Amino acid sequence: MESREELAKKSREFRQWYYGRDPKLSPVAEPVAEAFQLINETLFGHIYQRPALDVKTRSLCTIAALTVLNREKQLPGHITGALNCGATKQQIVELITQMLFYGGYPCTVNSLQAAYETFQAYDKEHGKS
Amino acid sequence: MESREELAKKSREFRQWYYGRDPKLSPVAEPVAEAFQLINETLFGHIYQRPALDVKTRSLCTIAALTVLNREKQLPGHITGALNCGATKQQIVELITQMLFYGGYPCTVNSLQAAYETFQAYDKEHGKS
Amino acid sequence: MESREELAKKSREFRQWYYGRDPKLSPVAEPVAEAFQLINETLFGHIYQRPALDVKTRSLCTIAALTVLNREKQLPGHITGALNCGATKQQIVELITQMLFYGGYPCTVNSLQAAYETFQAYDKEHGKS
Amino acid sequence: MESREELAKKSREFRQWYYGRDPKLSPVAEPVAEAFQLINETLFGHIYQRPALDVKTRSLCTIAALTVLNREKQLPGHITGALNCGATKQQIVELITQMLFYGGYPCTVNSLQAAYETFQAYDKEHGKS
Amino acid sequence: MESREELAKKSREFRQWYYGRDPKLSPVAEPVAEAFQLINETLFGHIYQRPALDVKTRSLCTIAALTVLNREKQLPGHITGALNCGATKQQIVELITQMLFYGGYPCTVNSLQAAYETFQAYDKEHGKS
Amino acid sequence: MESREELAKKSREFRQWYYGRDPKLSPVAEPVAEAFQLINETLFGHIYQRPALDVKTRSLCTIAALTVLNREKQLPGHITGALNCGATKQQIVELITQMLFYGGYPCTVNSLQAAYETFQAYDKEHGKS
């Protein structure tokens, strides 16, 4: 059983690498900081680290879920993460398109728009026009 | 541009292989058979065939979507499909577990139950106890 | 402004005609009977009665909503209602099929199954085989 | 069986008439253009054309689905389409209001706001104040 | 049985107190004003008034529902209402955090952001910095 | 910072008391037992224990969320939990009824049915007819 310190360390490092930064919650969450600490240790310190499924596949599956749930604001973070895991832009676009048949045309259109904006920001940050 | 005949052939063959059978719609759908023919040509004859994303990843992403949408009745088909694509049982279980953080604890519990029943049926059909 | 007595009377009569019976809530709802009385006066005694949109169209729109929300248990009542409003079986099937592109393939398959069972029960009750 | 060329032609013409323009996807979708071509042939070239259900009813049912799914960004297109099909503003407002009882008060409020903005843009484009 | 006049009066007074104002619908809803009158009489004039569950608990439960459904635009009104009912900021934040396990991480992050903005507006209006 | 051992102990004890038993996951989840251990430590060992919001209110809010998400299979556990926290049957029924205006009529009807069955099982187990 891993200690909480180990999990916290893995969570911080993973988030920094995956998102390209360690996303901060709103200051309103300060009183529940301990709860989010545990949540992040569990999700990023353990689950995304489990070797039975590679991180790239985990990331693409998260994008699939965010697409069908129409969670547009969370897509940029996970699309960035997928690119950092080695997924190609086309693979992300393929996946979002396929989701049309599970979550409907509207969520696919909204998610493609999120992908477009995220790809542009990603290229700018990584020095491609 | 592929002809409809080619797409229809690919759709039939893919569904037979992926699901282990060509699932039939309720007889109530007979008047809209042409619509479902086009839908299946598009989804199974084209989208699942596109080489930019491998079928195993496509299948796992569909399971992610079905999990967070709590579509329990469609999980057995796609879990069977994922196994036929070479996904392991553990990979499917890993994925459903991860979805707890995107669709909630209830949809993960329901989907694990669907996985359990599907794995048992799959093993029986493939001669494992 | 219509009185509550008028709305209650219209609600009872509409429900009896539309569903072919006045559906009873679970006995657990007895302490909130007054709340449901008001809800039914509003929805069935007023909204479904408003002449600016005909009841058949209102009923089909409700089926569209139930389909994309995957509310399988409520479909039989409203499919029965649509038939009682003069919608044809094919129109109902057309509509559920179209919803595939807004709520996904799974909700359409589940709703077609509900339509199949409802049509059979309806025909039996109305003396068709 | 209609050829893909016929379906593509019908799709283009229908979208141009229904939306008042042929909506373009984000440039990010270029690698999946063939997939969207097939999707549009199926949905707009075939399903919306099927005579068993008139286009005005199909359009209102789509608005019902978009309302309960809270897909605010897709409502302007389909509200425009419904008006182009001959639906009145009041019918659209009636429908969105009825959906409160299937998708909840919030989605109805959001969709009424979308209707308000779409009606204003529609009137401006068609020369009414 | 309460008369509609009594319910309407209670609804107006409750909304004024709970939201700090009587929220107006879009002008587009004018033709359905009678329907919304009945809806508000039922929900605010009766249901929120029922003594078997206190208003503070009712308000927190509504925030829970809005969180898991990701209805961001309706959260400010009900968070304001919960504060007016005597809920503390921390209780609201606790609740939204707990919902992560039922509606997923994204809806919790979005709702915390809505809480942050609502708390700031509330403090400004009530003369706290 | 609490140790994982402390959290695990609190989680076990809370679940045993709240649900009246420690619910077991499907055997299929054995390979992800460590992940669920962390999830339960976080949710039941920490979040439900946080004193800023009492457990009864937390439980009612979870029921609100399950109702609007139509998660029928998870309602019996949390309705049992709410009763064990001192909520009355009527309070639970009041809450589910109120949710009609946030998640729609169908999810309320389904959840009332779940409440009915759970109350009967609860009374039987606790020696009331």
Side-chain angles (χ1 to χ4, degrees):
Chain A
M1 192 168 83
E2 288 177 295
S3 71
R4 291 197 50 198
E5 286 73 14
E6 290 164 326
L7 293 166
K9 182 165 177 292
K10 284 186 186 170
S11 168
R12 267 195 316 275
E13 290 173 358
F14 177 79
R15 284 159 63 87
Q16 184 65 46
W17 167 75
Y18 181 75
Y19 290 119
R21 61 195 176 92
D22 191 353
K24 293 287 169 275
L25 275 176
S26 156
V28 89
E30 205 215 330
V32 288
E34 172 79 1
F36 276 98
Q37 185 56 37
L38 279 160
I39 289 162
N40 289 342
E41 289 169 14
T42 302
L43 180 57
F44 299 108
H46 180 75
I47 291 179
Y48 275 98
Q49 312 292 334
R50 294 174 59 86
L53 200 64
D54 62 287
V55 179
K56 181 180 154 187
T57 304
R58 288 191 182 277
S59 181
L60 292 173
C61 287
T62 298
I63 292 172
L66 296 175
T67 297
V68 298
L69 293 171
N70 205 36
R71 297 293 188 255
E72 301 169 64
K73 293 183 186 167
Q74 279 67 41
L75 276 166
H78 283 283
I79 289 171
T80 300
L83 294 170
N84 286 336
C85 292
T88 65
K89 288 178 191 169
Q90 184 169 353
Q91 287 176 327
I92 293 165
V93 166
E94 292 279 344
L95 166 57
I96 293 173
T97 302
Q98 178 183 328
M99 289 303 113
L100 188 148
F101 287 88
Y102 303 101
Y105 209 137
C107 72
T108 282
V109 169
N110 295 337
S111 300
L112 287 174
Q113 180 60 25
Y116 178 64
E117 293 166 13
T118 308
F119 292 168
Q120 290 200 314
Y122 193 88
D123 283 349
K124 189 177 259 178
E125 195 165 325
H126 291 72
K128 304 178 203 160
S129 63
Chain B
M1 192 167 83
E2 288 176 294
S3 72
R4 290 197 51 197
E5 286 72 15
E6 289 164 326
L7 293 166
K9 182 164 176 293
K10 284 186 186 170
S11 168
R12 267 196 317 275
E13 289 174 358
F14 177 79
R15 284 159 62 87
Q16 183 68 45
W17 168 75
Y18 181 76
Y19 290 119
R21 62 199 175 87
D22 191 354
K24 293 286 170 280
L25 275 176
S26 157
V28 87
E30 206 214 331
V32 287
E34 172 80 359
F36 275 99
Q37 185 55 37
L38 279 159
I39 290 161
N40 289 342
E41 289 168 14
T42 302
L43 180 57
F44 299 107
H46 180 75
I47 291 178
Y48 275 97
Q49 311 293 332
R50 293 174 59 85
L53 199 62
D54 62 288
V55 178
K56 182 180 154 187
T57 303
R58 289 191 182 277
S59 181
L60 291 173
C61 287
T62 298
I63 291 173
L66 296 175
T67 296
V68 298
L69 294 171
N70 205 35
R71 299 292 189 254
E72 302 169 63
K73 292 182 186 169
Q74 278 67 42
L75 275 167
H78 283 282
I79 290 172
T80 300
L83 294 170
N84 286 336
C85 292
T88 67
K89 289 178 191 169
Q90 185 170 352
Q91 288 177 326
I92 293 165
V93 167
E94 291 280 344
L95 164 59
I96 294 173
T97 302
Q98 177 183 330
M99 289 303 113
L100 188 148
F101 287 88
Y102 303 102
Y105 209 136
C107 71
T108 282
V109 169
N110 295 338
S111 299
L112 286 174
Q113 181 59 25
Y116 178 64
E117 293 166 14
T118 308
F119 292 168
Q120 290 200 313
Y122 193 88
D123 283 348
K124 190 176 257 178
E125 194 163 326
H126 292 72
K128 304 177 202 159
S129 65
Chain C
M1 192 168 82
E2 288 177 295
S3 72
R4 292 196 50 198
E5 286 73 14
E6 289 164 326
L7 293 165
K9 182 166 176 292
K10 283 186 186 171
S11 168
R12 267 195 316 275
E13 289 174 359
F14 177 79
R15 284 159 63 87
Q16 184 66 46
W17 167 76
Y18 181 76
Y19 290 120
R21 62 197 175 88
D22 190 353
K24 293 288 170 275
L25 275 175
S26 156
V28 89
E30 207 215 330
V32 288
E34 172 79 0
F36 275 99
Q37 185 56 37
L38 279 159
I39 289 161
N40 289 342
E41 290 169 13
T42 302
L43 180 57
F44 299 108
H46 180 75
I47 290 178
Y48 275 98
Q49 311 292 334
R50 293 174 59 87
L53 199 64
D54 61 289
V55 179
K56 182 180 154 187
T57 304
R58 289 191 182 276
S59 181
L60 292 173
C61 287
T62 298
I63 292 172
L66 296 174
T67 296
V68 297
L69 293 170
N70 205 34
R71 298 291 189 255
E72 301 169 64
K73 292 183 187 168
Q74 279 67 42
L75 276 167
H78 283 283
I79 289 172
T80 299
L83 294 170
N84 285 336
C85 293
T88 66
K89 288 177 191 170
Q90 185 170 351
Q91 288 176 327
I92 294 165
V93 167
E94 292 279 345
L95 165 59
I96 294 173
T97 302
Q98 179 183 329
M99 289 304 112
L100 188 147
F101 287 88
Y102 303 100
Y105 208 135
C107 72
T108 282
V109 169
N110 294 337
S111 300
L112 286 174
Q113 181 59 25
Y116 178 64
E117 292 166 14
T118 308
F119 292 168
Q120 290 200 313
Y122 193 88
D123 283 349
K124 191 177 255 178
E125 195 164 325
H126 292 73
K128 303 176 203 161
S129 66
Chain D
M1 192 168 83
E2 288 176 294
S3 72
R4 290 197 51 196
E5 286 74 13
E6 290 164 327
L7 293 166
K9 182 164 176 293
K10 284 186 186 171
S11 168
R12 267 195 317 275
E13 290 173 358
F14 177 79
R15 283 160 63 87
Q16 184 67 47
W17 167 75
Y18 181 75
Y19 291 119
R21 60 198 177 90
D22 191 353
K24 293 287 171 276
L25 274 176
S26 156
V28 88
E30 206 214 332
V32 287
E34 172 80 359
F36 275 99
Q37 184 57 36
L38 278 160
I39 290 162
N40 289 342
E41 289 169 13
T42 302
L43 180 57
F44 299 108
H46 180 75
I47 291 179
Y48 275 98
Q49 312 292 334
R50 293 174 60 85
L53 200 62
D54 62 288
V55 178
K56 181 180 154 188
T57 303
R58 289 191 182 276
S59 181
L60 291 173
C61 287
T62 298
I63 292 172
L66 295 175
T67 296
V68 298
L69 293 170
N70 205 36
R71 298 293 189 253
E72 302 169 63
K73 292 182 187 169
Q74 279 66 42
L75 275 167
H78 283 283
I79 289 172
T80 299
L83 293 170
N84 285 336
C85 292
T88 66
K89 290 177 190 168
Q90 183 169 353
Q91 287 176 326
I92 293 165
V93 167
E94 291 279 343
L95 166 57
I96 293 173
T97 302
Q98 178 183 328
M99 289 304 114
L100 188 148
F101 287 88
Y102 302 101
Y105 208 136
C107 70
T108 282
V109 169
N110 295 338
S111 300
L112 287 174
Q113 181 59 24
Y116 178 65
E117 293 166 14
T118 309
F119 292 168
Q120 290 200 313
Y122 193 88
D123 283 348
K124 190 177 258 179
E125 194 163 327
H126 291 72
K128 303 178 203 158
S129 64
Chain E
M1 192 168 84
E2 290 178 293
S3 71
R4 291 196 51 197
E5 286 74 13
E6 289 164 327
L7 293 166
K9 182 165 176 293
K10 284 186 187 172
S11 168
R12 268 196 315 275
E13 289 173 358
F14 177 80
R15 284 160 62 89
Q16 184 67 45
W17 167 75
Y18 181 76
Y19 290 119
R21 61 197 176 90
D22 191 354
K24 294 285 170 276
L25 276 176
S26 155
V28 88
E30 206 215 331
V32 287
E34 172 80 359
F36 275 99
Q37 184 56 38
L38 279 160
I39 289 162
N40 288 342
E41 289 169 14
T42 301
L43 180 57
F44 299 108
H46 180 75
I47 290 178
Y48 274 98
Q49 312 291 333
R50 293 174 60 86
L53 200 62
D54 62 288
V55 178
K56 182 180 153 187
T57 304
R58 288 191 182 277
S59 180
L60 292 173
C61 287
T62 298
I63 292 171
L66 296 175
T67 297
V68 298
L69 293 170
N70 204 36
R71 298 292 188 254
E72 302 169 64
K73 292 182 186 168
Q74 279 67 41
L75 275 167
H78 283 283
I79 289 172
T80 299
L83 294 170
N84 285 336
C85 292
T88 66
K89 289 177 190 169
Q90 184 169 353
Q91 288 176 326
I92 293 166
V93 167
E94 291 279 344
L95 166 57
I96 293 173
T97 302
Q98 178 183 328
M99 288 305 112
L100 188 148
F101 287 88
Y102 303 102
Y105 209 137
C107 70
T108 282
V109 169
N110 294 337
S111 300
L112 287 174
Q113 180 60 26
Y116 178 64
E117 293 166 14
T118 309
F119 292 168
Q120 289 200 314
Y122 192 87
D123 283 349
K124 189 177 257 179
E125 194 165 326
H126 291 72
K128 304 178 202 158
S129 64
Chain F
M1 191 166 84
E2 289 178 293
S3 72
R4 291 197 50 198
E5 288 72 14
E6 289 164 328
L7 293 166
K9 183 166 175 291
K10 284 186 187 170
S11 168
R12 268 196 315 276
E13 290 173 359
F14 177 80
R15 284 160 62 87
Q16 185 66 45
W17 167 76
Y18 181 76
Y19 291 120
R21 61 197 176 89
D22 191 355
K24 294 285 170 278
L25 276 176
S26 157
V28 87
E30 207 214 331
V32 287
E34 172 79 1
F36 275 99
Q37 185 56 37
L38 279 160
I39 289 161
N40 289 342
E41 290 168 13
T42 302
L43 180 57
F44 300 109
H46 180 75
I47 289 178
Y48 275 99
Q49 312 291 334
R50 292 174 60 87
L53 199 63
D54 62 288
V55 179
K56 182 180 153 187
T57 304
R58 289 191 183 277
S59 181
L60 291 173
C61 287
T62 299
I63 293 172
L66 296 174
T67 296
V68 298
L69 293 170
N70 205 35
R71 297 293 189 255
E72 302 169 64
K73 292 182 187 168
Q74 279 67 41
L75 276 167
H78 283 283
I79 289 172
T80 299
L83 293 170
N84 285 336
C85 293
T88 66
K89 289 178 191 170
Q90 184 170 352
Q91 288 177 326
I92 294 165
V93 167
E94 291 280 343
L95 165 58
I96 294 173
T97 302
Q98 178 183 329
M99 289 303 113
L100 188 148
F101 287 88
Y102 303 101
Y105 208 137
C107 71
T108 282
V109 168
N110 294 338
S111 300
L112 287 174
Q113 181 59 24
Y116 178 65
E117 292 166 15
T118 309
F119 292 168
Q120 290 199 314
Y122 193 87
D123 283 349
K124 190 177 256 178
E125 196 164 325
H126 291 73
K128 303 177 201 160
S129 65

